[in-house]
Amino acid sequence: MNLNSTYGMTHAMRIIESSPIRKADPRTKLALCLCASLAVMLPLGKIIFFAIIYVIFLLWARLLPEAARQAWKLKWILGVLFLVDWLVISLDLAVVVTLRLLLMAGVFAMFFSTTTPSELCLALVWLRVPYRYAFSISLSFQTVSSIDTEWRGILEAQRARGAFEAPKGWRYIVEQVRNLVSLTVPAVVLTARRAWSMTEAAYARGFESPHRTAFNRLSMRAIDWAILAGAGMVAAAIIIWR
Amino acid sequence: MKERYFSTFQLFLLALFAALIVVAKIALHLPLQLSGHSGIFWMAIIIVAARVVPKRGAASLVGLTSGIMAAFLGLGDLGGLNTLLSYTMAGIGADLGLLLLRDPENYACAMLAGMFGHLCKFIVKWIFGMAAGAPVGFVVLGLAKALVGYIVFGALGGLLGALTLAALRKAGFFTYLLEKK
């Protein structure tokens, strides 16, 4: 699902609905990502084994294109680092460093591309984060589109007035930074006004009510237990294998 | 009712500041060819947030929230975890800087706090390089140029934050805020 319509931005959230782990509990995915990120500590043989298992998992979860997109962003860094490591030190180190960087970059793509902000909010509440804080995080997602529109409006208005011109180089940089105040001041004022309207609306709907009940609840399903069992078996195999 | 550390208005305001950081990061491209240039707006908004909500942890909360948002929106080159940690560290760094320097409306203090916050973000990148096992020399060489950018743009961001605060004070924004709690 492309949440472009919801968030209305150039950088839309990419939630992959076709993935089998889309329906998994966010707590399971979070645990899986945290465990997978520990794999960066593994030595060469084990990290190659883990990488193969991880790619098979991504293939099954239909998330390989997403992980590849993330890896593609790193192509130059990885390429240069691999060559320099190989030429100066050894091929083993080059492979280990490349795999570790790829894992670190891609491992949380699994969570962020299959979880919505409201599901994250539920997971945070389960993790004992106070509801007010979890709600404020989901609120920031809900308002990002309106703030984006507002921001572009300010940009156009100030350009039309001749009050803002993007810095063009390093000459007179401090003066140029001074010009940027024409963007930040209206943005901060409008943001404060919006925050106040939202506070009033939230109070009107009983935001601080002591007897609040949740509309959606998290529940572990068969797929969650299966994923956790699979991850446990892979971890056991890596620990036992010498 | 139990006294809350952040009032609901403050909490919402910080959440919206976090959204503003992400929007500014996406929508505004300054033609300055050096990594970390988006830090100008980033650090400015964090400094403003720390003054508008004058409580410890305000900047960190803005950093954490914007980090979660940026990770979901796929910003950053090194993946979601790096994005989340670097945004959060920028907020924590600014908070720590302001804990020592105190006054975000003072230009020098704001510049130093901005620089420190932006450097913390840079440190996350450095730690990621080290955690991958890359030799220290390579990491230092690769990030040396970026370090200059991070220091300069962090300081400029702090300056922009202090200038914004001065303009807001002149416009009576803080009197307006006193009515809202």
Side-chain angles (χ1 to χ4, degrees), chain A residues 41-52:
Chain A
M41 292 188 275
L42 295 173
L44 180 65
K46 289 182 178 183
I47 204 169
I48 290 175
F49 170 72
F50 179 81
I52 292 167

Side-chain angles (χ1 to χ4, degrees), chain A:
Chain A
M1 183 173 81
N2 191 334
L3 294 186
N4 214 355
S5 53
T6 315
Y7 293 96
M9 293 179 60
T10 45
H11 260 72
M13 280 183 61
R14 296 155 65 91
I15 303 291
I16 297 160
E17 288 288 345
S18 59
S19 170
I21 63 164
R22 169 72 189 92
K23 288 187 174 65
D25 192 290
R27 293 168 293 182
T28 308
K29 288 182 264 186
L30 201 57
L32 205 59
C33 291
L34 289 172
C35 291
S37 56
L38 292 178
V40 296
M41 292 188 275
L42 295 173
L44 180 65
K46 289 182 178 183
I47 204 169
I48 290 175
F49 170 72
F50 179 81
I52 292 167
I53 300 279
Y54 189 62
V55 168
I56 292 169
F57 174 76
L58 288 178
L59 259 175
W60 169 75
R62 294 177 202 162
L63 292 171
L64 199 57
E66 187 59 29
R69 197 177 63 86
Q70 194 67 51
W72 187 247
K73 286 186 187 174
L74 280 170
K75 57 184 181 296
W76 295 113
I77 300 174
L78 288 177
V80 171
L81 209 57
F82 184 85
L83 273 178
V84 174
D85 278 339
W86 186 13
L87 295 175
V88 178
I89 301 175
S90 69
L91 181 62
D92 283 5
L93 183 82
V95 173
V96 168
V97 169
T98 309
L99 281 178
R100 282 176 181 169
L101 274 175
L102 273 173
L103 269 177
M104 279 195 285
V107 84
F108 269 79
M110 173 171 61
F111 181 78
F112 292 122
S113 55
T114 58
T115 311
T116 63
S118 49
E119 286 165 353
L120 173 77
C121 176
L122 289 174
L124 289 175
V125 172
W126 182 82
L127 287 167
R128 306 272 173 202
V129 172
Y131 175 74
R132 306 164 77 240
Y133 290 85
F135 178 81
S136 77
I137 290 171
S138 68
L139 177 80
S140 60
F141 277 100
Q142 284 157 19
T143 53
V144 77
S145 165
S146 353
I147 290 180
D148 184 49
T149 312
E150 243 168 41
W151 178 262
R152 286 171 200 279
I154 294 167
L155 206 62
E156 281 169 25
Q158 300 294 45
R159 270 198 185 126
R161 291 176 62 221
F164 168 70
E165 201 181 340
K168 288 206 170 83
W170 287 98
R171 290 189 73 184
Y172 312 114
I173 187 78
V174 175
E175 281 73 17
Q176 294 188 53
V177 166
R178 213 178 275 274
N179 287 340
L180 297 177
V181 175
S182 63
L183 293 184
T184 49
V185 170
V188 168
V189 172
L190 288 176
T191 303
R193 279 177 53 185
R194 184 180 290 277
W196 181 247
S197 312
M198 285 182 164
T199 309
E200 287 189 318
Y203 275 127
R205 295 186 63 111
F207 179 68
E208 296 273 20
S209 165
H211 305 297
R212 195 187 60 80
T213 50
F215 181 69
N216 293 318
R217 284 173 199 276
L218 293 176
S219 59
M220 294 287 278
R221 297 177 197 172
I223 188 170
D224 297 305
W225 296 117
I227 289 172
L228 288 176
M233 281 194 284
V234 171
I238 287 173
I239 292 166
I240 293 165
W241 176 32
R242 289 182 189 278

